[in-house]
């Protein structure tokens, strides 16, 4: 198969939730493509046991430029601050609103605090990220690109996913509305909708020491593990995807190759949405 080489050496990219999982790989790939990367996360140390080096250090270790700004996306002031911090590198060109959490619970058993927490991070965080980045791009009279991490859950409902699926449906609509409102300002807004991706996401909430967790209702509500049988049945390609297989779609959507693409939800899901 052919290889694609992107060049983002003139760009500054913010990746929320860039410390672990999908965001880490997206940040790493933008760094590899020459971008200055601002990793915005509630934690600097990766969640995954196998990865100990913070993302920004890994990017620098690989010869790139990166920094870390402690950010809680549920706090719009934090989000505005990280966009402000990117001004030191010329201002944000690509905003990746990726941070998100999962909490399990059916409509009947879910309490409102848990619902609010999922929406504060998954929806308010994306809203604040789109708004802060767009305001900054307009202030600087620059074009730009906003990418949101949606999900197959944006359009496909599952039992027990009441909070998460509703939040990712909202991310899809925020993407579309923002794309409409910003189209004439040369700011493109798109979303990537991952399928079942191998990260530690399914293991639950942010780390116990995080500021967000202090406000969590005292309920452990991780995503139930999918069995091999379920993966086999639900995913036409018969396997989970990796962050490496996902990250390229963010670079494509941010690149000039996608200059006429806006308001789009790009599924990267092994065919999950077909069924
Ligand atoms: P992950 O848990 O590995 O990484 C999420 C990162 O977000 C972590 O570094 C965490 O510290 C950070 N984070 C959590 N709350 C935050 C907050 N309030 N402010 C800033 N950072 C915060 O999960 P992942 O699998 O990489 O998920 C990333 C995104 O992809 C999420 O939006 C998730 O909903 C979405 N997604 C994941 C999958 C999957 O199968 N893994 C599928 C579809 C969509």
């Amino acid at each position: 198969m052919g290889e694609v080489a992107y060049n983002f050496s003139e760009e500054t990219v913010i990746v929320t939730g860039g410390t672990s999982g999908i965001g880490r790989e997206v940040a790493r790939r933008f760094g590899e493509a020459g971008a200055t990367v601002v990793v915005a996360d509630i934690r600097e140390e990766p969640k995954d046991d196998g990865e100990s080096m913070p993302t920004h250090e890994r990017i620098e270790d690989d010869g790139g430029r990166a920094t870390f700004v402690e950010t809680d996306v549920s706090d719009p002031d934090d989000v505005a601050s990280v966009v402000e911090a990117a001004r030191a590198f010329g201002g944000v060109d690509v905003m990746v609103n990726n941070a998100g959490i999962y909490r399990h619970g059916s409509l009947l058993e879910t309490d409102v605090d848990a619902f609010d927490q999922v929406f504060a991070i998954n929806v308010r965080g994306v809203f604040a990220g789109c708004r802060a980045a767009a305001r900054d791009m307009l202030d600087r009279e620059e074009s730009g690109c906003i990418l949101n991490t949606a999900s197959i859950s944006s359009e496909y409902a599952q039992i027990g996913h009441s909070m998460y699926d509703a939040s990712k449906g909202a991310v899809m609509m925020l993407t579309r509305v923002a794309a409409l409102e910003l189209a004439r300002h040369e700011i493109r807004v798109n979303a990537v909708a991952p399928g079942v991706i191998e990260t530690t996401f399914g293991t639950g909430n942010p780390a116990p020491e995080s500021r967000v967790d202090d406000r969590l209702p005292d309920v452990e509500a991780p995503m139930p593990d999918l069995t091999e049988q379920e993966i086999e049945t639900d995913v036409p390609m018969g396997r989970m995807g990796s962050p490496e297989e996902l990250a390229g779609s963010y670079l494509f959507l941010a690149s000039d190759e996608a200059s006429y693409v806006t308001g789009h939800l790009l599924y990267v899901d092994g065919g999950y949405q077909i069924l």
Side-chain angles (χ1 to χ4, degrees):
M1 296 290 182
E3 281 187 17
V4 183
Y6 291 106
N7 181 354
F8 285 94
S9 54
E10 302 295 314
E11 320 285 321
T12 298
V13 181
I14 296 174
V15 184
T16 72
T19 293
S20 307
I22 293 166
R24 179 178 172 90
E25 184 59 15
V26 169
R28 208 191 59 72
R29 288 284 295 280
F30 271 114
E32 202 174 71
T36 300
V37 182
V38 181
V39 178
D41 203 296
I42 41 168
R43 49 183 298 151
E44 192 170 359
E45 304 294 328
K47 265 169 75 177
D48 312 17
D49 290 337
E51 299 168 359
S52 52
M53 191 185 276
T55 306
H56 65 106
E57 288 179 16
R58 164 53 54 85
I59 293 170
E60 286 178 325
D61 219 48
D62 292 342
R65 289 185 304 272
T67 190
F68 172 79
V69 178
E70 187 181 331
T71 311
D72 176 354
V73 297
S74 68
D75 180 346
D77 290 341
D78 263 23
V79 177
S81 297
V82 73
V83 170
E84 179 64 33
R87 288 253 179 154
F89 312 105
V92 60
D93 299 293
V94 181
M95 178 79 190
V96 183
N97 296 304
N98 165 75
I101 64 161
Y102 180 87
R103 291 182 70 82
H104 196 74
S106 71
L107 184 65
L108 295 179
E109 69 198 14
T110 292
D111 63 56
V112 167
D113 286 345
F115 177 89
D116 283 348
Q117 190 232 355
V118 171
F119 265 66
I121 296 171
N122 293 11
V123 184
R124 192 165 70 207
V126 172
F127 173 83
C130 290
R131 192 180 63 171
R135 281 179 175 169
D136 192 70
M137 290 164 186
L138 291 174
D139 278 355
R140 291 181 295 113
E141 298 184 0
E142 293 286 347
S143 58
C145 175
I146 298 172
L147 297 172
N148 300 326
T149 301
S151 170
I152 40 177
S153 298
S154 294
E155 291 191 286
Y156 299 91
Q158 280 182 282
I159 289 172
H161 287 224
S162 56
M163 297 170 265
Y164 185 74
D165 291 2
S167 76
K168 290 297 181 177
V171 170
M172 178 180 71
M173 289 311 294
L174 262 174
T175 302
R176 291 178 178 167
V177 173
L180 273 179
E181 292 184 358
L182 298 171
R184 297 292 170 100
H185 298 286
E186 291 184 52
I187 299 172
R188 295 184 297 107
V189 188
N190 289 292
V192 175
V196 188
I197 307 298
E198 256 185 303
T199 68
T200 55
F201 182 60
T203 59
N205 294 310
E209 72 271 19
S210 77
R211 285 186 285 152
V212 167
D213 234 43
D214 293 342
R215 302 197 301 265
L216 276 179
D218 191 18
V219 188
E220 189 46 47
M223 187 188 291
D225 280 340
L226 286 171
T227 63
E228 274 182 35
Q229 182 57 45
E230 283 169 320
I231 301 272
E232 188 67 37
T233 329
D234 294 351
V235 186
M237 286 179 74
R239 63 175 177 84
M240 296 172 88
S242 67
E244 290 77 9
E245 289 178 289
L246 194 62
S249 56
Y250 290 78
L251 275 78
F252 164 70
L253 287 169
S255 77
D256 288 345
E257 296 295 326
S259 57
Y260 202 51
V261 182
T262 197
H264 188 68
L265 188 73
L266 175 58
Y267 282 102
V268 185
D269 65 351
Y272 193 109
Q273 93 289 359
I274 302 166
L275 295 173

